[in-house]
Amino acid sequence: MLDFYFSYRGVLKRLRSGALGGEMDRFAEHFFKLGYKRASAKIYLTRIARFSQFAGTHCVPMPIHQDVVDSYLRTFTTDTPRIGAVSALGHAKRVAPERFIISFPSEVDDPDAPLLADFSDYLHRVRGLETKTREGVLLGGRRFLDWFRHHHLGQDLEALTAEQVLSAVEHRLSLSASSSSRTAATSHIRTFLRFLYWAAHHRQDLARVVPRTPSWRLAHLPPRLAWDDVRQAIDAIGATTPIDIRDRAVLLLLATTGIRNGELRAIRLKDVDWRTGEVFVRRTKGKRDRVVPLLEETGAALSDYILRARPKVDSPYLFLSFAPPLGQFKCASPVSRIVRKRLRHGGVELGRVAGAHLLRHSLATQLVRQRRPINEVADLLGHRSINTTALYVKVAASQLAEVALPFPGGAA
């Protein structure tokens, strides 16, 4: 498979030498299956071959220890080639893990690792939190432990006192700039302390001493765009390239259904019911599947994308990345970049928040302004409580003026 990318015999001989020479054809097949462009695959293969030559002179033909990898990375004097080498070696380790000795941090390096692992298991099995939520709470627990180890070196968690907890909370609040971040910080500490009591790491439930931080619901207006701006951005997307066709389908689906970033990434081909004009949305934030309507324009854009632009790869998911490796969007960032890019190209001025949720807020605001029943808007957005949807009523100033009572003192 290596000769698909390189034709000269001398080059092939050099690439197949070194500590990983026998695996180079596997690496080449790996990049080919992932859909990497020819030039990109050759760059990765060349980087792996350079490490292979280095490893061949620093170890006998046996599994390569992490020390050899670290020594190789230290030969780079600038960040850019070092980052490229790390990325290439990541591919090599995934394809041929048996050729590497992967070293994991020991408990000596991270004494809190077992405790945090138990905390993660508690959040998953007992609290039932999703992965993304668990990451935030785990980070809060880690920060609390780091503060405790730094300020009370050598003290066991069993001796943790209420005064120390309050000091840790005061420290975290001093680093928080907004009411939402302060609320999250205290909530994470409270959850970690409940875990310590639940797992018998402490004899008292110190979560009770963590103060509540004020955070008033509906105290802010949601970031939103005028519907004309949304329409303008969508109309500005051409239909000449596969990326244009995909991006137009993405923005139309987000703007007409109000689905979230993660919900869009989880949509599969079989979730689109073309006969009924509906899309089945799975893995929602509220852990409840729901169905959203598929408008005619959005359906036409989706069918155009599937028939003309979607990469020909074996994947059940609807929207795929065109950048190698071809496949499902793994995280929220690519979808957010698509939204920001298309809104900017449409001449829309963007603030700090500009992603899939901006289109969700814009749709909800538009529906409220059209006097759609608030319960219908809540069902479309998948809100469990109608109080959550009530946030959008605040932006309908003209409708609020109609129901406002006259000032008791008369006209000023």
Side-chain angles (χ1 to χ4, degrees), residues 16 20 32 73 78 90 113 132 147 170 195 238 249 251 255 385 393:
R16 291 191 172 113
L20 296 174
F32 180 80
L73 296 178
T78 56
K132 197 68 176 179
W147 179 91
E170 182 180 5
F195 159 73
L251 258 70
S385 172
V393 177

Side-chain angles (χ1 to χ4, degrees), residues 229 232-234 236-237 340-349:
D229 290 340
Q232 174 183 321
I234 294 175
I237 303 176
R340 288 195 298 269
K341 170 185 173 183
R342 293 306 177 177
L343 289 176
R344 288 197 181 99
H345 285 185
V348 179
E349 293 186 6

Side-chain angles (χ1 to χ4, degrees), residues 234-289:
I234 294 175
D235 293 339
I237 303 176
T240 56
T241 67
I243 293 180
D244 289 339
I245 297 173
R246 180 203 61 188
D247 291 358
R248 187 171 188 274
V250 167
L251 258 70
L252 272 171
L253 190 60
L254 290 171
T256 59
T257 63
I259 61 176
R260 302 177 178 91
N261 191 318
E263 295 169 350
L264 176 106
R265 290 181 281 116
I267 294 177
R268 301 170 182 256
L269 290 169
K270 65 180 181 180
D271 294 334
V272 182
D273 192 331
W274 301 99
R275 293 185 180 275
T276 61
E278 295 176 333
V279 178
F280 182 73
V281 182
R282 63 180 75 239
R283 290 172 55 187
T284 65
K285 183 178 179 181
K287 299 181 181 179
R288 295 186 305 170
D289 298 337

Side-chain angles (χ1 to χ4, degrees), residues 51 54 66-79 81-89 93:
F51 169 76
F54 177 88
Q66 183 64 34
D67 291 342
V68 177
V69 176
D70 295 338
S71 298
Y72 177 71
L73 296 178
R74 283 195 293 269
T75 62
F76 296 97
T77 58
T78 56
D79 290 338
R82 185 186 303 111
I83 294 172
V86 170
S87 178
L89 291 176
K93 291 178 180 179

Side-chain angles (χ1 to χ4, degrees), residues 170-381:
E170 182 180 5
H171 171 72
R172 287 308 313 164
L173 293 180
S174 67
L175 301 177
S176 303
S178 64
S179 60
S180 59
S181 61
R182 287 191 289 270
T183 300
T186 53
S187 175
H188 295 164
I189 293 176
R190 200 176 293 113
T191 302
F192 180 68
L193 294 174
R194 287 198 185 104
F195 159 73
L196 293 181
Y197 178 67
W198 176 86
H201 292 293
H202 201 282
R203 65 182 182 277
Q204 291 181 315
D205 183 9
L206 293 177
R208 295 177 295 179
V209 307
V210 179
R212 300 280 178 178
T213 54
S215 180
W216 292 275
R217 287 180 57 82
L218 310 182
H220 68 283
L221 293 175
R224 65 207 181 279
L225 298 174
W227 196 248
D228 290 341
D229 290 340
V230 176
R231 187 71 254 182
Q232 174 183 321
I234 294 175
D235 293 339
I237 303 176
T240 56
T241 67
I243 293 180
D244 289 339
I245 297 173
R246 180 203 61 188
D247 291 358
R248 187 171 188 274
V250 167
L251 258 70
L252 272 171
L253 190 60
L254 290 171
T256 59
T257 63
I259 61 176
R260 302 177 178 91
N261 191 318
E263 295 169 350
L264 176 106
R265 290 181 281 116
I267 294 177
R268 301 170 182 256
L269 290 169
K270 65 180 181 180
D271 294 334
V272 182
D273 192 331
W274 301 99
R275 293 185 180 275
T276 61
E278 295 176 333
V279 178
F280 182 73
V281 182
R282 63 180 75 239
R283 290 172 55 187
T284 65
K285 183 178 179 181
K287 299 181 181 179
R288 295 186 305 170
D289 298 337
R290 73 180 191 277
V291 175
V292 295
L294 182 63
L295 302 186
E296 182 177 353
E297 181 185 13
T298 307
L302 286 181
S303 62
D304 191 32
Y305 159 70
I306 294 172
L307 296 175
R308 296 177 51 207
R310 187 175 181 272
K312 307 300 182 183
V313 298
D314 185 18
S315 174
Y317 293 97
L318 175 60
F319 290 110
L320 304 178
S321 169
F322 284 94
L326 305 181
Q328 179 201 17
F329 291 120
K330 299 296 184 181
C331 60
S333 298
V335 177
S336 297
R337 283 196 295 268
I338 290 173
V339 174
R340 288 195 298 269
K341 170 185 173 183
R342 293 306 177 177
L343 289 176
R344 288 197 181 99
H345 285 185
V348 179
E349 293 186 6
L350 300 177
R352 184 177 61 87
V353 179
H357 235 67
L358 181 61
L359 298 181
R360 177 179 170 88
H361 291 320
S362 303
L363 172 64
T365 303
Q366 175 68 5
L367 293 176
V368 170
R369 284 177 172 164
Q370 291 177 348
R371 300 178 182 273
R372 300 292 292 273
I374 194 69
N375 60 324
E376 291 186 7
V377 181
D379 290 340
L380 177 65
L381 299 179

